[in-house]
């Protein structure tokens, strides 16, 4: 099986397809936690929707009455998933034809699909100068296509929004898991501040830090002008000379970032564009199972 | 603008466009990379901006002046400081031209002899540095006298081709020849004696037929005169040249050519000395200056790169 890297996944534009590929490729199903001796405790019925796991279908009921309902047990309480996608201009950073935003898109799509299959509510927040949100009041079968459609449309633009704009989007939808997909390219620690606020809201936060390998390893040579996406600042540097310092600084900064984020109580997972997305998804899964 | 001997080289000044272009376009780095953040890039001494500094203008001036000096030096300017206005006669050595020279001298020209292996054009160049008047070159039949490339001279140059004085030679018996020479060193004298002995032997002349004397009063004597100087006796190929003429198919004609009267009725300006002054002295000064400036520029560039590194 090929490594499911963002590069590979971003090769098609059909997000639904990609999402299914991720979900199937990583082998997700409905992972139920079973405490010994309890079995399935029946709580409620939910109407069957295409794509739901057939193992949870109440076959007896179907045989009796030709109606298809899923059994939902108490333990499978829905954990709302809130996807916060960083859509600032710096996410346009591209390596080998794959931009960070494209990687964020495929990851978000995969997570959305899996969460939906789990029966979780999925919401999407795109964080850019103008914040848009799609947070359902409840679980809605039409939510997933909406989310995928919005993801497909998002473009990298602007700067990280002020917390006030994010707050409403973040607070709505109840406590759940917030997955922040970002490149952490911030000017004055605004992203870390947002994470702090999210954790303060008692959300479980997973930070999926997207990065290109080149920005860590600094492979460029010779006279180069480096320009920042969001501010437009530029500096002319001899890249070969600056390489050592840049690598060290990048490693330090990333380690620092990871420490800070973990110290805030959030989960941290770095996703490089040429690495499999599996690790990122498993991080979410672990958290999800803990809550289940 | 002083007259130039090779003004075609002035087109080389177009090369000044090269440092200028490098100056204007070189400051832009080749490639732009967009990143999410610049925080990792060390902002200290390695981040050197490529904007034009004041220093760069001076360096441009320095480089352009080096190229300009080289270009002008190659064009060979003639500095008109010491120039007179008289005419100059340049006489190639082995040529009989007494009447012509005398007549030119009578018209006020100064006569000089060309160096032994010097081609006519180099001599003319040096003559042009001395004067702005006409230059007469009296040359023989040898193509070698022409030299490589004709320089462009501001003076009018007139070339008189004179064949070795065969006509004048006819009336004089071959057997008698007088070799005039200035006082020679022992070695030079030995060489001369050897050459003459060899020729005499081949020609069937008696050595006594070829008289070698340092007595300049003998100049008035009839017959062929072949005036030797310390320089051309000391030259390596004197015997060769003597023998070469000797080996010509017609022996008699060869001997005549060999013993052609040099025909300076009056002493040469300084025996054996050709046109004074070195050739293209101005060019040499300009090239020397360009070399010094180049060294200075390289030292500056080296220092600048050390500071930045």
């Amino acid at each position: 099986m090929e490594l499911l890297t963002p590069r590979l996944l971003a090769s098609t534009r059909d997000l639904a397809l990609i999402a299914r590929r991720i979900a199937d490729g990583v082998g997700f199903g409905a992972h139920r936690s079973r405490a010994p001796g309890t079995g399935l405790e029946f709580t409620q019925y939910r109407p069957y929707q295409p794509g739901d796991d057939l193992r949870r279908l109440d076959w007896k009921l179907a045989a009796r009455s030709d109606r298809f309902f899923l059994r939902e047990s108490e333990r499978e309480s829905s954990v709302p998933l809130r996807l916060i996608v960083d859509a600032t201009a710096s996410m346009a950073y591209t390596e080998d034809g794959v931009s960070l935003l494209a990687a964020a898109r495929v990851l978000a799509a995969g997570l959305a699909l899996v969460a939906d299959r789990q029966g979780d509510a999925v919401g999407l927040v795109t964080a850019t100068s103008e914040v848009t949100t799609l947070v359902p009041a409840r679980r809605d079968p039409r939510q997933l296509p909406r989310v995928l459609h919005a993801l497909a449309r998002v473009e990298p633009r602007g700067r990280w929004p002020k917390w006030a704009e994010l707050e409403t989007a973040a607070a709505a939808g109840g406590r759940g898991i917030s997955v922040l997909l970002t490149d952490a390219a911030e000017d004055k620690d605004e992203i870390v501040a947002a994470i702090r606020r999210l954790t303060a809201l008692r959300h479980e936060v997973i930070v999926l830090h997207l990065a290109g390998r080149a920005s860590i390893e600094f492979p460029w040579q010779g006279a180069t002008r480096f320009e920042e996406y969001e501010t437009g600042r530029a500096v002319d540097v001899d890249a070969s000379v600056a390489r050592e310092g840049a690598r060290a600084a990048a490693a330090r900064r990333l380690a620092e970032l990871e420490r800070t984020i973990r110290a805030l109580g959030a989960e941290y997972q770095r996703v490089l564009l040429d690495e499999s997305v599996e690790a990122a998804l498993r991080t979410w899964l672990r958290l999800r199972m803990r809550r289940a | 603008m002083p007259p130039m001997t090779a003004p075609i080289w002035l087109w080389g000044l177009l090369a000044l466009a090269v440092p200028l272009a490098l100056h204007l376009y070189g400051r832009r780095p080749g490639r732009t990379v967009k990143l999410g953040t610049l925080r990792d890039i060390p902002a200290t001494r390695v981040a050197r901006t490529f904007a034009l500094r004041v220093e760069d203008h001076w360096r441009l001036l320095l480089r352009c002046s080096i190229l300009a000096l080289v270009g002008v030096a190659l064009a060979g300017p003639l500095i008109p400081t010491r120039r007179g206005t008289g005419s100059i006669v340049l006489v190639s050595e082995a040529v009989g031209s007494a009447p012509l020279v005398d007549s030119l001298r009578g018209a006020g020209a100064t006569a000089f002899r060309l160096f032994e292996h010097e081609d006519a054009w180099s001599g003319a160049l040096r003559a042009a540095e001395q004067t702005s008047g006409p230059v007469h070159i009296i040359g023989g039949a040898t193509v070698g006298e022409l030299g490589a490339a004709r320089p462009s001279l501001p003076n009018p140059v007139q070339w008189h081709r004179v064949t070795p004085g065969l006509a004048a030679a006819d009336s004089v018996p071959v057997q008698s020849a007088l070799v005039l020479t200035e006082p020679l060193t022992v070695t030079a004298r030995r060489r001369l004696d050897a050459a003459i002995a060899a020729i005499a032997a081949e020609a069937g002349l008696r050595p006594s037929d070829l008289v070698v004397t340092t007595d300049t009063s003998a100049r008035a004597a009839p017959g062929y005169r072949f005036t030797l100087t310390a320089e051309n006796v000391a030259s390596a190929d004197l015997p060769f040249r003597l023998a070469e003429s000797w080996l010509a198919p017609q022996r008699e004609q060869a001997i005549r050519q060999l013993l052609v009267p040099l025909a300076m009725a009056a002493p040469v300006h300084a025996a054996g000395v050709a046109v004074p002054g070195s050739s293209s002295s101005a060019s040499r000064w300009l090239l020397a200056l360009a070399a010094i400036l180049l060294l200075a520029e390289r030292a500056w560039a080296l220092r600048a790169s050390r500071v930045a590194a």
Side-chain angles (χ1 to χ4, degrees):
Chain A
M1 195 192 77
E2 293 171 80
L3 213 57
L4 283 176
T5 61
R7 185 171 300 148
L8 183 68
L9 295 165
S11 53
T12 61
R13 297 196 68 87
D14 185 348
L15 268 182
L17 183 66
I18 295 167
R20 272 204 296 281
R21 244 192 111 172
I22 295 177
D24 297 339
V26 191
F28 282 140
H31 297 261
R32 285 181 306 221
S33 62
R34 244 178 241 228
T38 52
L40 278 175
E41 280 193 30
F42 170 70
T43 312
Q44 62 180 43
Y45 273 127
R46 178 160 71 80
Y48 171 75
Q49 301 290 337
D52 286 340
D53 188 3
L54 288 173
R55 284 179 293 180
R56 287 159 52 198
L57 198 70
D58 188 346
W59 290 106
K60 288 204 183 121
L61 179 65
R64 277 204 306 269
S65 61
D66 247 338
R67 287 170 0 174
F68 300 102
F69 284 94
L70 297 175
R71 307 164 73 99
E72 268 185 355
S73 75
E74 201 174 333
R75 287 178 202 280
E76 289 178 13
S77 54
S78 139
V79 178
L81 172 69
R82 188 171 301 104
L83 294 162
I84 307 174
V85 175
D86 180 347
T88 58
S90 58
M91 294 290 280
Y93 173 74
T94 306
E95 243 176 57
D96 277 349
V98 160
S99 68
L100 292 179
L101 189 64
R105 250 189 238 130
V106 302
L107 267 176
L111 281 168
L113 179 63
V114 173
D116 191 73
R117 283 187 185 171
Q118 295 271 43
D120 296 337
V122 178
L124 173 71
V125 180
T126 52
T128 175
S129 314
E130 310 97 39
V131 177
T132 59
T133 80
L134 282 171
V135 180
R138 52 178 163 67
R139 193 184 173 285
D140 183 349
R142 285 167 301 176
Q143 183 68 356
L144 184 62
R146 255 184 252 149
V147 167
L148 293 182
H149 182 61
L151 271 176
R153 268 195 336 215
V154 75
E155 291 297 326
R157 233 166 6 123
R159 317 278 297 266
W160 186 263
K162 301 201 211 324
W163 175 250
E165 293 165 33
L166 276 174
E167 193 169 9
T168 37
R175 288 174 45 200
I177 300 179
S178 294
V179 178
L180 174 61
L181 298 117
T182 177
D183 63 347
E186 51 191 352
D187 216 7
K188 295 183 201 43
D189 297 332
E190 54 261 19
I191 295 179
V192 172
I195 296 170
R196 188 175 290 122
R197 301 268 202 175
L198 281 171
T199 51
L201 286 174
R202 313 294 300 276
H203 290 204
E204 304 263 8
V205 179
I206 301 175
V207 178
L208 294 178
H209 183 188
L210 297 153
R213 195 171 282 277
S215 56
I216 301 174
E217 292 185 358
F218 222 74
W220 299 283
Q221 305 255 27
T224 319
R225 169 171 284 193
F226 291 101
E227 218 179 285
E228 218 175 55
Y229 273 104
E230 289 175 24
T231 55
R233 268 199 330 245
V235 63
D236 299 319
V237 169
D238 185 350
S240 326
V241 177
R243 187 175 304 134
E244 287 304 312
R247 272 196 195 156
R252 260 200 314 273
R253 184 172 59 87
L254 292 176
E256 181 76 38
L257 186 70
E258 184 168 351
R259 254 202 313 274
T260 313
I261 290 175
R262 287 196 195 277
L264 290 173
E267 286 276 345
Y268 175 91
Q269 178 66 44
R270 194 173 307 156
V271 183
L272 296 182
L273 291 178
D274 53 4
E275 283 179 355
S276 164
V277 301
E278 202 176 317
L281 289 155
R282 292 215 180 276
T283 309
W284 173 80
L285 183 67
R286 238 184 317 118
L287 210 59
R288 175 69 181 80
M289 284 176 62
R290 274 213 300 267
R291 291 280 296 264
Chain B
M1 176 101 141
M4 302 279 180
T5 51
I8 193 94
W9 279 105
L10 288 179
W11 286 107
L13 289 178
L14 287 176
L16 285 176
V18 170
L20 195 66
L22 287 175
H23 180 77
L24 292 174
Y25 295 110
R27 57 195 178 111
R28 246 174 271 159
R31 163 194 46 201
T32 302
V33 174
K34 289 191 153 198
L35 291 180
T37 177
L38 295 180
R39 282 180 296 176
D40 297 330
I41 297 171
T44 51
R45 55 201 178 105
V46 288
R48 155 168 70 105
T49 65
F50 282 75
L52 277 184
R53 299 168 297 198
V54 175
E55 208 178 84
D56 284 343
H57 298 292
W58 287 110
R59 288 171 82 175
L60 174 71
L61 195 63
L62 188 58
R63 286 175 184 149
C64 286
S65 50
I66 292 170
L67 285 178
L69 280 173
V70 171
V72 172
L74 286 171
L78 294 170
I79 310 297
T81 46
R82 295 175 290 142
R83 292 169 98 204
T85 47
S87 58
I88 283 183
V89 180
L90 295 173
V91 186
S92 169
E93 210 184 314
V95 166
S97 51
L100 182 56
V101 173
D102 286 342
S103 65
L104 286 170
R105 269 221 177 109
T110 342
F112 292 103
R113 180 185 312 174
L114 289 173
F115 271 130
E116 196 170 271
H117 293 292
E118 188 182 27
D119 54 83
W121 294 131
S122 329
L125 261 177
R126 288 188 287 118
E129 281 192 352
Q130 303 299 315
T131 180
S132 55
V135 174
H136 301 268
I137 304 179
I138 300 173
T142 36
V143 175
E145 287 182 11
L146 282 173
R150 186 194 167 131
S152 114
L153 296 171
N155 316 36
V157 174
Q158 197 166 4
W159 180 274
H160 306 269
R161 174 143 291 150
V162 178
T163 52
L166 288 173
D170 281 341
S171 59
V172 180
V174 169
Q175 269 74 9
S176 66
L178 181 66
V179 181
L180 282 175
T181 173
E182 43 174 43
L184 301 172
T185 61
V186 173
T187 0
R189 185 56 198 261
R190 275 205 206 117
R191 285 168 63 83
L192 182 58
D193 286 344
I196 286 173
I199 291 166
E202 284 295 327
L205 298 169
R206 285 164 305 179
S208 53
D209 287 339
L210 296 166
V211 177
V212 178
T213 174
T214 56
D215 180 8
T216 49
S217 63
R219 211 166 274 173
Y224 285 101
R225 298 189 305 281
F226 187 63
T227 308
L228 291 174
T229 65
E231 264 177 35
N232 55 28
V233 170
S235 99
D237 71 345
L238 168 65
F240 178 78
R241 282 198 302 125
L242 293 174
E244 193 184 35
S245 306
W246 172 251
L247 292 171
Q250 290 138 347
R251 186 172 292 185
E252 203 173 279
Q253 193 171 340
I255 293 175
R256 285 206 184 103
Q257 278 191 331
L258 171 68
L259 300 175
V260 152
L262 186 62
M264 288 294 189
V268 205
H269 182 78
V273 173
V275 186
S278 57
S279 60
S280 306
S281 52
S283 296
R284 293 217 184 116
W285 280 113
L286 290 176
L287 283 174
L289 188 58
I292 291 171
L293 288 180
L294 183 66
L295 283 175
E297 196 272 331
R298 286 288 93 204
W300 191 356
L302 195 65
R303 213 202 70 192
S305 71
R306 280 228 199 94
V307 164

